Amino acid sequence: MKQLNKTTKSNLLTYGMVVALFGIMQALVATGNVSSLLKGLLVPLCAYIILAVSLNLTVGILGELSLGHAGFMCVGAFTSAFFSKCVADAIPFAGIRYLLALLIGAASAGICGILIGIPVLRLKGDYLAIVTLAFGEIIKNIVNILFIGRDENGFHFSTKDSLSLGLSPEGEVIVNGPQGITGTPQDSSFAVSVILILVTLFIVLNLIHSRSGRAIMAIRDNRIAAESVGIHITKYKLMAFSISAALAGIGGVIYAHNLATLTAQPKNFGYNMSIMILVFVVLGGIGNIRGSVIAAIVLTLLPEMLRGLSDYRMLIYAVVLIAMMLFNWSPKAIELREKFSAKWKRGKQKEA
């Protein structure tokens, strides 16, 4: 019971931190103390937090390295944007349309996670990292050559150009290859995105502290021992990987519904995006969900907050990266944190 209370307090602290940061940012926006550039980063920041938390489920809790998280984000973004663009006139209620887009984006990314995980999660070593990296690049390239249009005869598909779709004069091109999807309803808002962060945290934290989560961590710590006590290795690894992919799809939905034009570029859905999300996870602490949230916030907002120091902006950013890495992973820093934590607990016991 004592351990349960400790876990509950830790979870509530994480939820409270997100709510407090939301309240502070809303107050700053209301008083006009936030620049328009920084205000435009709030919704993408929420997407990055969800992506970091979901990737930590794969890297930190499952113990498998995934380098294609941007691919799952891309699947969720484009399937949801395609749906919203198609039903924009049929479903004028933004809330219902956005909820359906979230479900479609999460489901499509989760299905891709299952399809990739079934053959790959049975293997050992770095195969998962290689396959997920290839998956992310394949998805990005497929989107860039895909043309989809719609007229009174239905949907038309092509991989050549928009003219080869053969649309009637009243038809419209929905997915225009490298030019992506234009005119997606901008239904994402900062408040809704924060609610989705809380939902993501609730799902991940409850999974970690559940029976399934303990089985997943047992597989991470010792695969042979876990298998010897009857834990179904493939089942639990596939569960964690598919949930992580589905949550990445939700991050993609948030990202897609904040842009007027959605394109699959290397900077937003390529290898660099996957590495950036992995940096959030590593610097925040592998397996530390709260740390992933903090790292995503700091490393996303810091370059923009330092934009005035144009000559030293990236230097300060690099120093912060090194400092966070030393704080999280240096043996001396870990020892000091443990000593401070032990003193704090002794002080609390004396007061009690």
Side-chain angles (χ1 to χ4, degrees), residues 61-310:
I61 308 305
L62 179 59
E64 297 285 355
L65 179 61
S66 173
L67 296 178
H69 219 54
F72 298 117
M73 176 190 179
C74 183
V75 171
F78 274 89
T79 53
S80 62
F82 179 81
F83 168 80
S84 296
K85 180 74 181 291
C86 291
V87 302
D89 297 329
I91 306 178
F93 301 103
I96 297 175
R97 183 177 62 234
Y98 191 55
L99 177 61
L100 293 174
L102 284 169
L103 295 175
I104 290 173
S108 57
I111 291 171
C112 288
I114 292 173
L115 294 176
I116 292 174
I118 287 175
V120 175
L121 289 174
R122 298 175 183 272
L123 305 174
K124 299 179 183 179
D126 299 327
Y127 295 103
L128 180 64
I130 296 171
V131 173
T132 51
L133 171 62
F135 166 76
E137 294 301 310
I138 289 170
I139 288 295
K140 176 174 65 68
N141 291 328
I142 287 176
V143 170
N144 281 327
I145 65 169
L146 188 62
F147 295 85
I148 303 177
R150 180 181 61 173
D151 58 14
E152 65 274 8
N153 297 319
F155 291 99
H156 302 259
F157 301 87
S158 175
T159 57
K160 186 179 179 182
D161 53 41
S162 57
L163 295 176
S164 61
L165 291 172
L167 297 175
S168 64
E170 293 78 18
E172 63 170 342
V173 178
I174 300 175
V175 181
N176 195 15
Q179 298 180 21
I181 300 177
T182 303
T184 304
Q186 298 184 32
D187 295 331
S188 292
S189 66
F190 183 46
V192 173
S193 300
V194 170
I195 292 173
L196 291 173
I197 291 175
L198 294 173
V199 171
T200 301
L201 289 171
F202 179 81
I203 293 171
V204 172
L205 291 174
N206 279 275
L207 175 63
I208 291 172
H209 299 296
S210 67
R211 180 181 178 183
S212 298
R214 290 190 291 272
I216 292 168
M217 287 185 283
I219 296 170
R220 175 198 65 190
D221 295 335
N222 195 317
R223 178 191 178 104
I224 297 174
E227 196 169 12
S228 67
V229 296
I231 295 177
H232 197 295
I233 304 294
T234 304
K235 170 188 171 183
Y236 286 107
K237 290 179 74 172
L238 190 61
M239 175 193 297
F241 189 68
S242 58
I243 292 174
S244 174
L247 294 175
I250 291 177
V253 176
I254 295 173
Y255 187 84
H257 286 74
N258 186 54
L259 301 172
T261 301
L262 178 66
T263 57
Q265 301 295 326
K267 64 179 181 180
N268 54 0
F269 294 119
Y271 174 73
N272 290 335
M273 174 64 78
S274 295
I275 294 299
M276 185 183 75
I277 301 165
L278 184 61
V279 168
F280 295 158
V281 173
V282 173
L283 290 181
I286 294 176
N288 187 346
I289 302 301
R290 193 184 308 146
S292 295
V293 176
I294 296 172
I297 293 172
V298 172
L299 297 182
T300 301
L301 296 183
L302 187 63
E304 300 306 325
M305 294 175 69
L306 297 174
R307 189 168 289 277
L309 304 172
S310 57

